[in-house]
Amino acid sequence: MAGPFGWFRADGVAADVPELLPGESWPVTVRVDGVVPLFHVGADVLLLGELPEVEGATPGVAPVTAHASGWAVPWLHLTVVVLLAAGVVLAVRRRRTRTRREDARVREAVERALAERAAVPEDEAVAP
């Protein structure tokens, strides 16, 4: 099994399968450890058939191959990425809100100082 582009390849081997006669089938499950969920995982299967030895000659059997693929979503990794992105968004919003509040506070203080300065009559103003 491997992820996209053959990344993180992991192999598995089936246990001994009993001797089968023509037309028979046998379900086999192979556990493959170390498979990394990379959204889309593919599996290639190779079946090598062996025929019993016959006196004088052993006929050959061509190997059979198959390919299957499926989705393997890395939920833990996606959750971490989403939480980090949400943290960055919240931090940026918080910083912008603080900046807006500080700008408003400074504007208000300047307006108040200008209003107080304008309210003082000129004759009461202190001459330098």
Side-chain angles (χ1 to χ4, degrees):
M1 295 186 74
F5 311 110
W7 294 344
F8 301 105
R9 182 180 173 97
D11 294 324
V13 177
D16 289 336
V17 178
E19 186 175 320
L20 301 175
L21 297 174
E24 287 185 317
S25 63
W26 186 267
V28 177
T29 302
V30 178
R31 181 175 173 85
V32 181
D33 293 322
V35 177
V36 179
L38 291 174
F39 296 103
H40 196 263
V41 178
D44 292 309
V45 178
L46 173 65
L47 176 64
L48 301 171
E50 295 179 4
L51 295 174
E53 289 188 25
V54 180
E55 285 186 32
T58 303
V61 176
V64 177
T65 60
H67 176 81
S69 61
W71 293 99
V73 180
W75 292 110
L76 178 63
H77 298 105
L78 282 178
T79 303
V80 169
V81 168
V82 167
L83 289 176
L84 287 174
V88 168
V89 168
L90 288 176
V92 168
R93 282 189 178 180
R94 190 175 193 186
R95 186 173 188 178
R96 286 182 183 169
T97 303
R98 282 184 182 172
T99 302
R100 286 186 200 132
R101 283 185 195 157
E102 185 64 22
D103 289 346
R105 191 177 70 77
V106 168
R107 250 191 326 267
E108 184 180 304
V110 169
E111 288 171 1
R112 194 176 10 193
L114 290 174
E116 288 175 5
R117 187 176 191 187
V120 175
E122 286 188 32
D123 57 342
E124 291 181 17
V126 179

